[in-house]
Amino acid sequence: MFDNRDLACKGETNLGNCLRVGREALLDFKNGLNGSINLISSWKGGNCCHWKGIRCENNTGAVISINLHNPYSHEKAYEKWSSMKFTLSNCGFNGAIPPNLGNLSNLQYLDLTFDESYDLFANDVEWMTSLVSLKHLRMKHVNLAKVGSHWVEALNKLPLLKELHLINCHLYGRISTLSSINFTSLSVIIISGHSFHSKFPIWVLNLSSLVSLNLRNNHLYGQIPPGLGELPNLQYLDPSRNNYLTGSFSQLLSGSWKKIEVLNFASNKFLGIIPGSIQSFFNLRYLDEGDNSLTGSLPEFSKEIKNCTSEGLLLDMDYLGLSNNQLVGRLPEWLSQLEVLTHLDLFNNMLQGRIPASFGTFRNFKYMELGWNELNGSLPASFGCFWESLEWNSF
């Protein structure tokens, strides 16, 4: 549901006269697409402000909102964006995105979200540099294979951009470096499902407003640059399933990570031990370091746990995934003190010894996997429901 100020979602328009440049951009967009939808078939006549789904600014006639959202799409509509939107989600179109779309310089919100059955593509993205008011850009399953590596430079010319979503858009090659950063308002970056074969983009270290960074499944390689942990507003970091990111895990977590809540480094090649410094990540609730090359034992900091406040790390963590590493040693007692923990995965390590009796007191568990370790001894009396998770241990 859109904000009630956005009349375009109801098919209403104002009574002004649209600007010629806006009308031509809309017609060019219409003519460049294959497919049909009732709204766009009504785009006839000289005054585009009367076209269904179009909203114009009263005084100037500038097109400020376009809504062609398919009401039967399973995509959830975005909320709290009051005006200046272009939503074209799963509307059944195929074809090239016409560059004249860049003439809609008042747009703040552009959503081109499709499933894999559509064939919408762009030959370049230079037209985006004219969308100087754009705050939110979302593209999913839009084929950008022809744009090369220049998409970063183009988006860097949008100083008001706050959210960037590029998902499964066939991007590849090197992610460009930037000599200067202009899109410093970025708070959310989701760039996933591509074949870059590139190093981690170091320019993200200059985005002090960054709250969420998702670079999942992009074939990135090399080390994550130090400094991510010093970004003052970062709460969510997911560079998982890149397979070739590497480096010392303890060095990576040596920063302050003041607001971090989610860390997902799964399916890479990180090395070394799990540092005891994670006890200072007071907001951390999700940590996944599965499918890496971690060694050593789980850290011991039971004394510090007793001094944690109600907002402390260990009382907030509900997901801990460390499967498929080379961890050794015993299961520490502090694991049983994670009162809201629902998911514990230590599968396929080299952990030894008995399962602490306190493990039978977990109240919120939905999933626990301890199989393929070297655990032994007797099981806690209340451990019966997790018996299947202990495959290939000695009990």
Side-chain angles (χ1 to χ4, degrees), residues 10 16-17 36 52 104 146 265 288 318 320 341 354 384:
K10 301 178 182 178
N17 293 313
S36 63
K52 290 183 179 180
L104 302 174
K146 295 183 179 180
F265 299 107
D288 192 349
D318 59 28
L320 179 59
L341 192 67
R354 297 175 178 270

PDB file of all heavy atoms in Angstrom, residues 10 16-17 36 52 104 146 265 288 318 320 341 354 384:
ATOM      1  N   LYS A  10      -4.056   4.992  -7.171  1.00  0.00           N
ATOM      2  CA  LYS A  10      -5.492   4.843  -7.366  1.00  0.00           C
ATOM      3  C   LYS A  10      -5.912   5.181  -8.795  1.00  0.00           C
ATOM      4  O   LYS A  10      -7.091   5.254  -9.106  1.00  0.00           O
ATOM      5  CB  LYS A  10      -6.242   5.752  -6.382  1.00  0.00           C
ATOM      6  CG  LYS A  10      -5.921   5.458  -4.917  1.00  0.00           C
ATOM      7  CD  LYS A  10      -6.651   6.423  -4.011  1.00  0.00           C
ATOM      8  CE  LYS A  10      -6.303   6.156  -2.548  1.00  0.00           C
ATOM      9  NZ  LYS A  10      -6.969   7.113  -1.646  1.00  0.00           N
ATOM     10  N   GLY A  16      -3.341  19.367 -14.382  1.00  0.00           N
ATOM     11  CA  GLY A  16      -2.389  20.247 -15.042  1.00  0.00           C
ATOM     12  C   GLY A  16      -2.049  19.757 -16.440  1.00  0.00           C
ATOM     13  O   GLY A  16      -2.500  18.714 -16.896  1.00  0.00           O
ATOM     14  N   ASN A  17      -1.254  20.535 -17.147  1.00  0.00           N
ATOM     15  CA  ASN A  17      -0.778  20.155 -18.469  1.00  0.00           C
ATOM     16  C   ASN A  17       0.657  19.670 -18.347  1.00  0.00           C
ATOM     17  O   ASN A  17       1.522  20.394 -17.848  1.00  0.00           O
ATOM     18  CB  ASN A  17      -0.860  21.345 -19.426  1.00  0.00           C
ATOM     19  CG  ASN A  17      -2.295  21.736 -19.710  1.00  0.00           C
ATOM     20  OD1 ASN A  17      -3.124  20.882 -19.999  1.00  0.00           O
ATOM     21  ND2 ASN A  17      -2.591  23.033 -19.623  1.00  0.00           N
ATOM     22  N   SER A  36       1.687  -5.859 -22.695  1.00  0.00           N
ATOM     23  CA  SER A  36       0.538  -4.966 -22.575  1.00  0.00           C
ATOM     24  C   SER A  36       0.047  -4.930 -21.151  1.00  0.00           C
ATOM     25  O   SER A  36       0.221  -5.867 -20.389  1.00  0.00           O
ATOM     26  CB  SER A  36      -0.604  -5.436 -23.490  1.00  0.00           C
ATOM     27  OG  SER A  36      -1.057  -6.721 -23.097  1.00  0.00           O
ATOM     28  N   LYS A  52      -3.683   7.299 -17.030  1.00  0.00           N
ATOM     29  CA  LYS A  52      -3.803   6.478 -15.824  1.00  0.00           C
ATOM     30  C   LYS A  52      -2.418   6.115 -15.297  1.00  0.00           C
ATOM     31  O   LYS A  52      -1.513   5.776 -16.033  1.00  0.00           O
ATOM     32  CB  LYS A  52      -4.591   5.205 -16.131  1.00  0.00           C
ATOM     33  CG  LYS A  52      -6.064   5.445 -16.391  1.00  0.00           C
ATOM     34  CD  LYS A  52      -6.799   4.126 -16.617  1.00  0.00           C
ATOM     35  CE  LYS A  52      -8.280   4.380 -16.853  1.00  0.00           C
ATOM     36  NZ  LYS A  52      -9.018   3.105 -17.079  1.00  0.00           N
ATOM     37  N   LEU A 104      12.904  12.136 -16.773  1.00  0.00           N
ATOM     38  CA  LEU A 104      12.006  12.310 -15.623  1.00  0.00           C
ATOM     39  C   LEU A 104      12.842  12.653 -14.395  1.00  0.00           C
ATOM     40  O   LEU A 104      12.980  11.874 -13.455  1.00  0.00           O
ATOM     41  CB  LEU A 104      11.182  11.030 -15.408  1.00  0.00           C
ATOM     42  CG  LEU A 104      10.346  10.603 -16.618  1.00  0.00           C
ATOM     43  CD1 LEU A 104       9.682   9.262 -16.357  1.00  0.00           C
ATOM     44  CD2 LEU A 104       9.295  11.655 -16.941  1.00  0.00           C
ATOM     45  N   LYS A 146      25.063  -5.700 -20.777  1.00  0.00           N
ATOM     46  CA  LYS A 146      25.715  -4.862 -21.789  1.00  0.00           C
ATOM     47  C   LYS A 146      26.295  -3.556 -21.237  1.00  0.00           C
ATOM     48  O   LYS A 146      26.953  -2.828 -21.979  1.00  0.00           O
ATOM     49  CB  LYS A 146      24.717  -4.530 -22.906  1.00  0.00           C
ATOM     50  CG  LYS A 146      24.267  -5.738 -23.705  1.00  0.00           C
ATOM     51  CD  LYS A 146      23.332  -5.329 -24.840  1.00  0.00           C
ATOM     52  CE  LYS A 146      22.896  -6.531 -25.665  1.00  0.00           C
ATOM     53  NZ  LYS A 146      21.994  -6.141 -26.780  1.00  0.00           N
ATOM     54  N   PHE A 265      29.209 -14.401   7.091  1.00  0.00           N
ATOM     55  CA  PHE A 265      30.402 -14.627   6.284  1.00  0.00           C
ATOM     56  C   PHE A 265      30.433 -16.045   5.708  1.00  0.00           C
ATOM     57  O   PHE A 265      31.479 -16.527   5.286  1.00  0.00           O
ATOM     58  CB  PHE A 265      31.658 -14.410   7.125  1.00  0.00           C
ATOM     59  CG  PHE A 265      31.807 -13.024   7.677  1.00  0.00           C
ATOM     60  CD1 PHE A 265      31.596 -12.772   9.027  1.00  0.00           C
ATOM     61  CD2 PHE A 265      32.153 -11.972   6.860  1.00  0.00           C
ATOM     62  CE1 PHE A 265      31.738 -11.493   9.551  1.00  0.00           C
ATOM     63  CE2 PHE A 265      32.299 -10.688   7.366  1.00  0.00           C
ATOM     64  CZ  PHE A 265      32.094 -10.445   8.712  1.00  0.00           C
ATOM     65  N   ASP A 288      26.977 -16.046  11.316  1.00  0.00           N
ATOM     66  CA  ASP A 288      27.146 -17.253  10.514  1.00  0.00           C
ATOM     67  C   ASP A 288      28.520 -17.218   9.871  1.00  0.00           C
ATOM     68  O   ASP A 288      28.809 -16.348   9.052  1.00  0.00           O
ATOM     69  CB  ASP A 288      26.061 -17.356   9.447  1.00  0.00           C
ATOM     70  CG  ASP A 288      26.019 -18.743   8.793  1.00  0.00           C
ATOM     71  OD1 ASP A 288      26.961 -19.537   9.011  1.00  0.00           O
ATOM     72  OD2 ASP A 288      25.046 -19.038   8.082  1.00  0.00           O
ATOM     73  N   ASP A 318      20.461 -14.939  18.611  1.00  0.00           N
ATOM     74  CA  ASP A 318      19.495 -16.017  18.385  1.00  0.00           C
ATOM     75  C   ASP A 318      19.929 -16.975  17.283  1.00  0.00           C
ATOM     76  O   ASP A 318      19.271 -17.992  17.061  1.00  0.00           O
ATOM     77  CB  ASP A 318      18.097 -15.469  18.086  1.00  0.00           C
ATOM     78  CG  ASP A 318      18.061 -14.559  16.861  1.00  0.00           C
ATOM     79  OD1 ASP A 318      18.894 -14.733  15.959  1.00  0.00           O
ATOM     80  OD2 ASP A 318      17.186 -13.678  16.805  1.00  0.00           O
ATOM     81  N   LEU A 320      23.591 -18.844  15.693  1.00  0.00           N
ATOM     82  CA  LEU A 320      25.035 -19.049  15.681  1.00  0.00           C
ATOM     83  C   LEU A 320      25.335 -20.234  14.773  1.00  0.00           C
ATOM     84  O   LEU A 320      24.981 -21.376  15.073  1.00  0.00           O
ATOM     85  CB  LEU A 320      25.562 -19.319  17.087  1.00  0.00           C
ATOM     86  CG  LEU A 320      27.073 -19.574  17.209  1.00  0.00           C
ATOM     87  CD1 LEU A 320      27.874 -18.377  16.693  1.00  0.00           C
ATOM     88  CD2 LEU A 320      27.457 -19.884  18.654  1.00  0.00           C
ATOM     89  N   LEU A 341      18.631 -17.952  22.050  1.00  0.00           N
ATOM     90  CA  LEU A 341      19.181 -18.716  20.936  1.00  0.00           C
ATOM     91  C   LEU A 341      18.156 -19.708  20.406  1.00  0.00           C
ATOM     92  O   LEU A 341      17.596 -20.506  21.163  1.00  0.00           O
ATOM     93  CB  LEU A 341      20.439 -19.453  21.367  1.00  0.00           C
ATOM     94  CG  LEU A 341      21.283 -20.077  20.249  1.00  0.00           C
ATOM     95  CD1 LEU A 341      21.904 -18.986  19.391  1.00  0.00           C
ATOM     96  CD2 LEU A 341      22.379 -20.968  20.835  1.00  0.00           C
ATOM     97  N   ARG A 354      32.359 -33.959  26.427  1.00  0.00           N
ATOM     98  CA  ARG A 354      30.956 -34.145  26.770  1.00  0.00           C
ATOM     99  C   ARG A 354      30.121 -32.918  26.405  1.00  0.00           C
ATOM    100  O   ARG A 354      30.626 -31.800  26.352  1.00  0.00           O
ATOM    101  CB  ARG A 354      30.818 -34.409  28.272  1.00  0.00           C
ATOM    102  CG  ARG A 354      31.510 -35.685  28.740  1.00  0.00           C
ATOM    103  CD  ARG A 354      31.438 -35.795  30.249  1.00  0.00           C
ATOM    104  NE  ARG A 354      32.043 -37.030  30.725  1.00  0.00           N
ATOM    105  CZ  ARG A 354      31.382 -38.170  30.880  1.00  0.00           C
ATOM    106  NH1 ARG A 354      30.072 -38.215  30.633  1.00  0.00           N
ATOM    107  NH2 ARG A 354      31.998 -39.250  31.312  1.00  0.00           N
ATOM    108  N   GLY A 384      16.652 -35.524  24.532  1.00  0.00           N
ATOM    109  CA  GLY A 384      16.099 -36.501  23.618  1.00  0.00           C
ATOM    110  C   GLY A 384      15.637 -35.948  22.296  1.00  0.00           C
ATOM    111  O   GLY A 384      15.807 -36.569  21.244  1.00  0.00           O
TER     112      GLY A 384
END
